[in-house]
Amino acid sequence: MNKQLQALLDSYEERILGQATNLRLLLCAVLTGGHVLLEGVPGTGKTKIVRTLAGLLGGDFGRIQFTPDLLPSDITGSMIYNMKEGSFQTLKGPIFTNILLADEINRTPAKTQAALLEAMEEKQVTIQGDTYRLPDVFFVVATQNPIEFEGTYPLPEAQQDRFLFKLAIGFPSFEEEKQVLKNDLHHVFAVEDIQTVLDLETFIFIRNEIASITVEDKVLDYMMQIVRKTRESDYIRFGASTRSAISIGKAARAWAYLSGRQYVTPDDVKMVAKPALRHRIQLAPHMELEGAAVDQIIEELVGSVPVPR
């Protein structure tokens, strides 16, 4: 692994305790140009996780608080008339940044949620008929609260499919949570004190290196068998899309790179399969009635696919 990337990961894990696997998965997503949906109860550090990553990367950070009255133009931007110059000017919205935190994305109606679709997929924004490119490094992290449904608008399946991963942010262990409390009380690792560890130019170089990671044909078969199993299972109503197979392939490459290898193994695929699939499949009605967990079904499904040797 690149030494600067290792330094970034070490600093990241030192600042954010109890989320080691999620931090690596988040880094995998940004390295592959994907986007992440973070789900967790309030107060688990979701915003801090994203702000810390932005600071370590030295990229521009933007945050949008999604509310029921938020308009699409509040995200993308709009045209305004300049009285002084007597002409229209484009006012770009907060989406023009490197790392964007879409906080509580399920608090805003579908029309405003959809304003992110073109940007996330095409890396471009259309304002009054004119198209503007977003930065080469553009990463959206959307958060949502899984326990509060009053006044919320569930994300449509089409938009959830735009996210590479859905990560569940839980509580750390007793000792880790005690250390978090101690660090905060003594102002250790304050967000404003973050020093850039990896500049964006080096980041883009690493991203190109990851694209050359070897994926053997038998590992590709393994990925496809997992994805196609989701479409054949009686436990699942709607299986994963072709985009999910591409997501697993890209994420597995990044995980292999973070593990110091130049090739993808079945274990890499297993590691990224659950976060890449949990938001892309819908359980059958009888499984929902039984209270089955999506993660458990994915684990059983992945376990049923023969591992290539």
Side-chain angles (χ1 to χ4, degrees):
M1 192 199 308
N2 181 283
K3 290 182 179 179
Q4 287 176 279
L5 184 60
Q6 183 64 61
L8 183 149
L9 187 57
D10 291 342
S11 181
Y12 203 12
E13 292 178 346
E14 189 178 23
R15 288 173 172 273
I16 308 294
L17 300 176
Q19 302 290 345
T21 300
N22 279 332
L23 297 185
R24 281 179 168 258
L25 288 168
L26 196 65
L27 198 53
C28 276
V30 69
L31 284 168
T32 56
H35 309 284
V36 172
L37 184 62
L38 287 185
E39 190 170 86
V41 297
T44 48
K46 297 187 293 297
T47 299
K48 185 178 180 181
I49 287 173
V50 184
R51 290 195 64 185
T52 301
L53 178 60
L56 293 172
L57 278 176
D60 293 329
F61 173 74
R63 178 179 180 274
I64 303 174
Q65 181 64 50
F66 280 70
T67 56
D69 60 348
L70 193 73
L71 299 174
S73 58
D74 294 329
I75 298 173
T76 59
S78 58
M79 294 285 287
I80 60 172
Y81 186 74
N82 189 320
M83 296 287 290
K84 185 177 180 180
E85 298 185 7
S87 61
F88 284 96
Q89 292 182 345
T90 300
L91 184 66
K92 293 183 177 180
I95 200 170
F96 288 88
T97 188
N98 295 123
I99 296 181
L100 177 68
L101 174 62
D103 209 4
E104 294 188 297
I105 191 173
N106 57 335
R107 288 273 177 207
T108 200
K111 183 178 180 180
T112 305
Q113 292 172 358
L116 286 174
L117 287 177
E118 181 186 16
M120 291 171 63
E121 187 68 17
E122 307 294 339
K123 285 194 176 181
Q124 65 183 29
V125 169
T126 302
I127 303 174
Q128 295 293 318
D130 294 325
T131 300
Y132 300 88
R133 293 293 301 173
L134 290 165
D136 190 28
V137 178
F138 175 67
F139 181 50
V140 175
V141 182
T143 69
Q144 62 180 13
N145 180 352
I147 61 173
E148 193 173 2
F149 299 103
E150 186 175 349
T152 62
Y153 303 83
L155 286 176
E157 286 75 8
Q159 187 161 347
Q160 289 199 54
D161 199 39
R162 261 57 173 193
F163 291 98
L164 180 80
F165 287 150
K166 180 180 180 181
L167 303 181
I169 305 297
F171 293 108
S173 66
F174 180 89
E175 289 300 326
E176 289 169 333
E177 195 165 14
K178 179 183 174 182
Q179 189 61 46
V180 170
L181 174 61
K182 187 183 295 185
N183 289 347
D184 190 76
L185 292 177
H186 293 89
H187 304 289
V188 180
F189 300 134
V191 174
E192 56 269 18
D193 296 333
I194 297 174
Q195 299 294 319
T196 299
V197 177
L198 183 70
D199 60 84
L200 293 181
E201 288 184 7
T202 306
F203 176 82
I204 292 172
F205 173 78
I206 292 171
R207 195 170 64 182
N208 293 334
E209 276 194 326
I210 291 173
S212 65
I213 296 287
T214 301
V215 186
E216 293 186 359
D217 203 56
K218 60 183 179 181
V219 178
L220 287 175
D221 287 343
Y222 183 58
M223 294 178 195
M224 285 309 310
Q225 287 176 31
I226 290 173
V227 171
R228 294 183 75 86
K229 274 273 187 179
T230 66
R231 304 170 193 165
E232 300 165 1
S233 173
D234 293 334
Y235 299 155
I236 298 173
R237 184 181 182 187
F238 297 117
S241 66
T242 303
R243 185 189 280 121
S244 66
I246 296 171
S247 296
I248 291 173
K250 289 181 176 180
R253 270 180 166 172
W255 190 270
Y257 186 87
L258 289 176
S259 303
R261 279 181 278 98
Q262 290 297 312
Y263 57 91
V264 175
T265 68
D267 285 338
D268 298 325
V269 177
K270 287 181 180 180
M271 182 57 67
V272 302
K274 191 190 299 182
L277 291 175
R278 59 163 60 111
H279 56 299
R280 288 185 162 108
I281 62 176
Q282 185 176 334
L283 296 182
H286 70 279
M287 297 304 296
E288 290 182 340
L289 288 173
E290 292 176 12
V294 172
D295 283 5
Q296 180 186 353
I297 299 299
I298 294 173
E299 287 176 7
E300 292 176 0
L301 185 148
V302 172
S304 68
V305 178
V307 179
R309 297 184 180 276

